[in-house]
Amino acid sequence: MITAIVGLIAVVWLLIELILQNQGEVTIVSIKGIMLGALYNSQELEDNEKEHIVQILFFVFSFNFIWITQN
């Protein structure tokens, strides 16, 4: 159990560093209730850009990683 928690913290930390290096945005939000899971979404924007969102839900916290790439 502790290994899984440490692994998750390491993954979140690496994602935060990667996103901030690419001029992205990181939000950490508390949620009502308890959830476990992950979500990835990408959406085409104007000017030939693509927005990427990775959301990791861990019990009462939501970690959202958002960045934009050129197509």
Side-chain angles (χ1 to χ4, degrees), residues 50-67:
K50 194 174 207 179
E51 179 183 54
H52 304 272
I53 301 171
V54 174
Q55 183 178 38
I56 298 174
L57 300 157
F58 185 68
F59 294 106
V60 295
F61 294 104
S62 172
F63 301 92
N64 302 304
F65 307 94
I66 303 166
W67 71 98

Side-chain angles (χ1 to χ4, degrees), residues 43-51 68-71:
Q43 180 178 354
E44 296 285 333
L45 301 175
E46 46 195 59
D47 297 332
N48 204 21
E49 294 179 334
K50 194 174 207 179
E51 179 183 54
I68 296 174
T69 59
Q70 298 290 328
N71 283 342

